Amino acid sequence: MLRAKVRRIALANQKGGVGKTTTAINLAAYLARLGKRVLLVDLDPQGNATSGLGVRAERGVYHLLQGESLEGLVHPVDGFHLLPATPDLVGATVELAGAPTALREALRDEGYDLVLLDAPPSLSPLTLNALAAAEGVVVPVQAEYYALEGVAGLLATLEEVRAGLNPRLRLLGILVTMYDGRTLLAQQVEAQLRAHFGEKVFWTVIPRNVRLAEAPSFGKTIAQHAPTSPGAHAYRRLAEEVMARVQEA
């Protein structure tokens, strides 16, 4: 059976603090710079992608799920569109418990080249909706000792979603984040991930970088805030690598 074309990509890890939203924001920015029409969907009720891009909105993902038009809900930011999270999204966590494909239906005719789904750091109904709507998954993993355990748990979830909800879903890649190559720990974690998962691990690694950490406080992507920084260079390389994997699908 031919694999489905990868156009919707969920960024998921049930562990928080791994650079998932930072990756979602900056991957969207650099994919847009590669000439792609990109939509970033903030599915986290905390709304970090929304606030990190300097967007304040009263309507967003929740209203899309209630039947409103996508066109009237998106915000242009740095060459791509954001579908924001709003406080109403907390209610969707309960409402979607029995509707794991609601987001897939709501995004049926969205019209973008690529859609990035920034899932919450948990296995909530919103995360399951992201996995049910996507064809590919990017898993950001912090370079720390518990990295392998977190990836193993998420991959088990992906298998369950593939079997029960979305046979098109596949792992697009595992991304090492917050990497400090000066430490033995980071080197060991990266080596373990590559030994266990091989080519599934992106060659690009995202370094610990002050500019990356401070960009959201300015409501900017790293491409806007510090385009010559190591973090910017890393996310540009990641966007190129993601596109190569998408085109191989």
Side-chain angles (χ1 to χ4, degrees):
M1 183 176 69
L2 292 175
R3 291 190 296 186
K5 180 180 178 182
V6 175
R7 204 169 53 77
R8 295 181 190 158
I9 302 170
L11 291 98
N13 191 327
Q14 64 263 46
K15 188 177 185 304
V18 299
K20 179 179 55 60
T21 295
T22 297
T23 295
I25 288 172
N26 293 303
L27 179 57
Y30 279 103
L31 288 171
R33 281 164 171 76
L34 291 176
K36 301 301 175 184
R37 189 163 186 259
V38 179
L39 172 67
L40 171 58
V41 181
D42 187 355
L43 287 168
D44 189 345
Q46 296 180 72
N48 289 336
T50 300
S51 61
L53 287 167
V55 172
R56 297 190 177 205
E58 296 182 356
R59 293 157 59 245
V61 178
Y62 180 80
H63 302 83
L64 177 76
L65 293 168
Q66 297 299 310
E68 291 193 28
S69 169
L70 177 65
E71 186 177 2
L73 299 172
V74 297
H75 294 250
V77 284
D78 195 21
F80 62 94
H81 283 167
L82 170 73
L83 179 58
T86 59
D88 312 82
L89 201 53
V90 174
T93 302
V94 176
E95 295 169 14
L96 294 176
T101 62
L103 181 65
R104 184 166 73 196
E105 295 300 320
L107 290 172
R108 181 178 294 277
D109 300 309
E110 94 293 314
Y112 289 83
D113 297 324
L114 291 166
V115 179
L116 303 184
L117 306 169
D118 185 23
S122 64
L123 294 179
S124 70
L126 285 166
T127 300
L128 289 178
N129 262 264
L131 297 177
E135 295 90 23
V137 183
V138 170
V139 182
V141 178
Q142 186 177 354
E144 63 170 25
Y145 271 124
Y146 294 111
L148 286 174
E149 291 181 15
V151 173
L154 182 59
L155 293 185
T157 300
L158 296 186
E159 287 300 325
E160 293 176 7
V161 172
R162 186 181 293 115
L165 289 174
N166 183 6
R168 306 168 302 163
L169 185 67
R170 70 183 183 90
L171 177 65
L172 194 62
I174 296 166
L175 175 68
V176 180
T177 63
M178 302 182 185
Y179 183 81
D180 186 346
R182 300 170 298 178
T183 68
L184 182 59
L185 171 60
Q187 295 171 25
Q188 290 175 336
V189 169
E190 182 186 9
Q192 288 177 337
L193 286 167
R194 295 195 187 282
H196 279 78
F197 300 107
E199 63 181 15
K200 287 297 184 183
V201 182
F202 288 107
W203 287 112
T204 302
V205 298
I206 306 301
R208 284 194 176 276
N209 180 240
V210 172
R211 297 299 191 189
L212 272 177
E214 68 187 16
S217 67
F218 292 93
K220 294 181 177 180
T221 68
I222 191 64
Q224 294 171 308
H225 179 60
T228 61
S229 66
H233 291 314
Y235 276 113
R236 186 186 69 243
R237 290 193 299 270
L238 177 64
E240 293 169 350
E241 198 171 351
V242 165
M243 281 308 307
R245 295 193 180 199
V246 164
Q247 289 164 359
E248 289 171 2

